[in-house]
Amino acid sequence: MKIKLVCLILLASIPVMAQEQELTFQDLIPGGETSFRFFPQNIRQLQWCGDRYTYIKGDTVLMASPTDREEQVAFTLRQLNEALTSAGLPETGAMPVFFVPDKKEPVLAFQYRNNRVHYNPATRQITANYALDKSGSRWEYDRANGNLAFTKENNVYILTPGGETETVTAEMDPGIVCGTSVHQNEFGIHKGLFWSPRGNALAFYRMDESMVTDYPAVHISERVAKAEPFKYPMAGMRSHEVTVGVYHPADRRTAWLKTGLPKDKYLTNVAWNPDGKSIYIAELNRGQDTCRLVRYNAETGEREAELFMETNAGYVEPQEPPLFLPGNPGQFIWQSRRDGYNHLYLYDTEGNLLRQLTAGRWEVKEVTGFDGRGNHLFFMATASRDTEEDSPLEVYAWKLNLKNGKRNCLNIKKGVHQVSLNASATYLIDRTSSPVIPRDIDLIGVNDGRQVKSLLSAGNPFENYRMPDIKVGTLTAADNRTTLYYRLITPPDLDETKKYPVIVYVYGGPHAQLVTGGWMNGAGGWDMYMARRGYILFTVDNRGSANRGFEFERVIHRRLGEVEVADQLKGIDFLKSLPYVDTERTGVHGWSYGGFMTVNLMLSCPDLFKAGVAGGPVIDWQRYEIMYGERYMDHPEENPEGYKNASLLNRAGNLKGNLLLIHGDEDPVVVWQHSLLFLKACVDAGTFPDYFVYPGHSHNVVGKDRPHLYEKITRYFDRQLLPADNETNN
């Protein structure tokens, strides 16, 4: 096996103190009472408001332009309350969470006490106030006219600036839901309401779930437990049917887009043409191997044109809607992985491909915006700033000239970047993290990427603690040619003459990457906690995980759990080559897809793993939802052997090690049935897993109970992997 060491990070070089300072679950786990002390320092609510950046310090909001030497006081809490009182509104006890409703307008907005308030920091006056319906949700703002669309009890309404409420839909059937996100939030879908550019029409999803099986769920908080079933379409079963309506407030008329048959296709990536006369929809067949970009007339609902079609023998997964060029409504940018990596393509509105804008063995992660004239585009990508090849552990901001195709990196610092553009697209807020940078926040110019101002350089929150070492390196996958990245965390003051237990932390599925070039290389607080106590933590991003291109991901298609296990075992081979790793005391832990991988590894290699903890695990892919399940496994009738091989129910008798299953009893993602059926299979097979349920929690255990979760996991590994006299959390 070829192994290349990429970097060695010493997180702390403080001399050993006479008495080691403790770090607890409350310190290191999100939701812990003192965890805020160990997150890298940040700037509270830093964001652009027009061309000025703004943030909160204490009871004061500060603002400045990038070229100002110092920030100025925009307003104080007292001044905000004076404005609220003058508008006849109650005061707020603390600075609210602000957001900017219109990037071009220097107005801050916030919600409190069932009110949505727009506040102008320059005039220190309330410019708009909406009395929100207490049971309303999914509020969508119309920048052109100031209307608010919202949903209530499965229907859509509009709240005007004058306080009038207009009914858009009046569905009575509880199986029909309007205005919400659809298709289980897959395909980049995150909302169900879409205002036209001029605010004279509102597009919305209408989802008919009446044909989808009710999935039983019980909430136990009341004296008598209450059944609250929800719709959950499993692979191979009937899916919901979606249509798109376009409501015209002028005559209170709804035009329904004539999307036609079959009805169980996926309508995704909804986008308005800049003139507001037509709507674009990416239509994906249920088999998810064919995507068509279709244009519809917003006035009549008639299908106007199919612009182009994308097919793939594996799957097509559109994630972003068409993005129109400013000042040029006849051209738009489309994101696609058709050449093996996610890249940008320029089209005209007749469906003609004008040119491919980006290319290379790297992934475009996000389009950030355009400059004022639409001549340049800004995007985030895994392209290396140094070699312009792939840099899958890092993310950089790029500026692309749309006329000549030249691009340049806007980041000087090495690491993972997140950026946001000001209104005139002249400056960026650049947030950077790397193995040696907890968090830096700079203002940079878009012309050359040079730093204009440093807003924050966060210190190491673990400066006064003896911390583990983190190594990031590469190894070769089970195909003997693909490079994989791993992260190895070892205890402070590692003694290579001793043997340490090891825990493999795994996810392994699409849309996730665990090993990064960010702070602590993507490791979490629990990794630090365990390594400080004498464990080795190991993670490898196997084939099938994110940010390495389509072929890297699609190798798992139709056979989930095979290639991933083979690659994870190459990681185990690497661990066996290290003299200080005790492979007789190997554990494995993961959640969701990682829970599936944890159980899968323990059943596939029953003599290798002594202990495992699987949270919210997928056990049988036939019982997972259609959109994700059929994308990676196809319909059960098309791939019966693949579903059979991926089902962990069939191998429950292989269990030898100590396995703890954890599940939330209200999990709507990986339903509780998965782990319960595995328990039944183990009973039938005569094997003996352990089990723990978190009442009232959904797919993840969050909030104040999360430290409890990790203490539960830690106690289990201590009991199984440490000598009895070393157990500290019994």
Side-chain angles (χ1 to χ4, degrees), residues 222-240:
E222 298 183 17
R223 181 179 182 184
V224 177
K226 184 178 180 181
E228 293 185 0
F230 61 94
K231 300 293 186 178
Y232 190 83
M234 292 184 177
M237 299 175 69
R238 288 198 67 182
S239 183
H240 51 243

Side-chain angles (χ1 to χ4, degrees), residues 646-667:
S647 174
L648 304 181
L649 299 175
N650 302 326
R651 291 183 278 144
N654 293 353
L655 182 63
K656 288 186 179 180
N658 299 281
L659 173 62
L660 171 63
L661 299 170
I662 300 177
H663 221 126
D665 71 334
E666 297 179 10
D667 191 338

Side-chain angles (χ1 to χ4, degrees), residues 378-447:
F378 303 92
F379 66 93
M380 309 301 297
T382 61
S384 168
R385 55 156 204 190
D386 299 319
T387 64
E388 297 194 6
E389 295 298 326
D390 68 311
S391 176
L393 302 190
E394 298 160 355
V395 178
Y396 294 100
W398 292 84
K399 179 181 178 181
L400 174 70
N401 187 310
L402 293 172
K403 292 184 178 179
N404 60 29
K406 292 182 178 179
R407 60 183 171 88
N408 61 290
C409 185
L410 295 178
N411 305 122
I412 297 174
K413 297 176 181 178
K414 186 178 177 65
V416 175
H417 293 262
Q418 295 178 322
V419 303
S420 59
L421 272 168
N422 66 344
S424 61
T426 51
Y427 294 95
L428 288 164
I429 295 175
D430 179 21
R431 296 171 171 86
T432 310
S433 73
S434 77
V436 295
I437 300 175
R439 180 181 286 118
D440 280 1
I441 304 179
D442 303 304
L443 295 181
I444 61 176
V446 301
N447 289 329

Side-chain angles (χ1 to χ4, degrees), residues 89-90 110-117 129-136 139 148 159:
L89 296 168
F110 61 95
Q111 292 185 194
Y112 83 123
R113 299 187 182 183
N114 295 314
N115 288 280
R116 172 180 168 130
V117 176
N129 172 51
Y130 302 85
L132 304 180
D133 191 304
K134 292 182 180 180
S135 57
W139 301 89
L148 278 175
L159 178 64

Side-chain angles (χ1 to χ4, degrees), residues 215-219 230 232 591-592 615-618 624 662-675 693-701:
Y215 193 87
V218 176
H219 295 259
F230 61 94
Y232 190 83
W591 204 274
S592 193
V618 178
Y624 197 63
I662 300 177
H663 221 126
D665 71 334
E666 297 179 10
D667 191 338
V669 179
V670 181
V671 293
W672 197 8
Q673 183 180 11
H674 281 264
S675 58
V693 174
Y694 275 92
H697 282 278
S698 57
H699 189 49
N700 291 292
V701 179

